Amino acid sequence: QVQLVESGGGAVRPGDSLTLSCEGSGNIFGDYKLGWFRQSPGKEREFVAAISRRLGTTYYSDSVEGRFTIALGNPKTSVSLQMNSLNPEDTAVYYCAFTFSPYYYERRGRVDYDYWGQGTQVTVLA
């Protein structure tokens, strides 16, 4: 089992920055990915960003590319999401996710991830 705990959400104004953190624990070993998804009311949970533990390879959704940065922490069972230039469309519950995966596979689907955090609310005031 893998446990994930997010922190760092809050309410900000357009143009502000915010950093989310996720601490992973449990039976974590080998190669894996840590990712972030988000879900707004009435919408599907969507991929935001992910990072591979082995090579640190990162990938992002088009909507956040260039504004958000995902990074592994120390130890490498934690991950952060630095969010810059936030706008109201970024308002959502943000979820940390984990999957055992070779580094050469991209994992962007919700079904690709086996473990999830409880979520943290990010609100960008209009």
Side-chain angles (χ1 to χ4, degrees):
Q1 289 290 327
V2 173
Q3 295 80 41
L4 303 170
V5 179
E6 303 101 332
S7 62
V12 296
R13 299 194 177 277
D16 284 353
S17 298
L18 198 62
T19 300
L20 305 181
S21 298
C22 173
E23 299 290 333
S25 61
N27 197 23
I28 298 176
F29 60 91
D31 202 1
Y32 52 83
K33 287 180 172 55
L34 283 159
W36 289 95
F37 286 71
R38 66 186 182 185
Q39 188 167 17
S40 305
K43 294 186 177 181
E44 295 289 322
R45 191 171 299 187
E46 65 173 356
F47 172 79
V48 174
I51 185 166
S52 171
R53 183 263 179 197
R54 181 173 173 182
L55 294 183
T57 306
T58 60
Y59 39 103
Y60 301 89
S61 68
D62 290 343
S63 62
V64 307
E65 179 90 50
R67 298 189 298 125
F68 291 11
T69 303
I70 189 170
L72 289 173
N74 185 17
K76 291 186 178 181
T77 53
S78 62
V79 65
S80 63
L81 185 69
Q82 172 69 41
M83 305 183 293
N84 297 327
S85 302
L86 285 162
N87 58 64
E89 288 69 39
D90 296 315
T91 295
V93 177
Y94 283 71
Y95 295 91
C96 180
F98 175 97
T99 182
F100 289 105
S101 171
Y103 68 93
Y104 46 80
Y105 287 134
E106 283 197 6
R107 300 295 189 199
R108 294 175 179 261
R110 180 178 178 179
V111 297
D112 294 327
Y113 289 79
D114 303 305
Y115 300 96
W116 297 84
Q118 81 286 354
T120 185
Q121 177 71 46
V122 173
T123 302
V124 185
L125 302 169

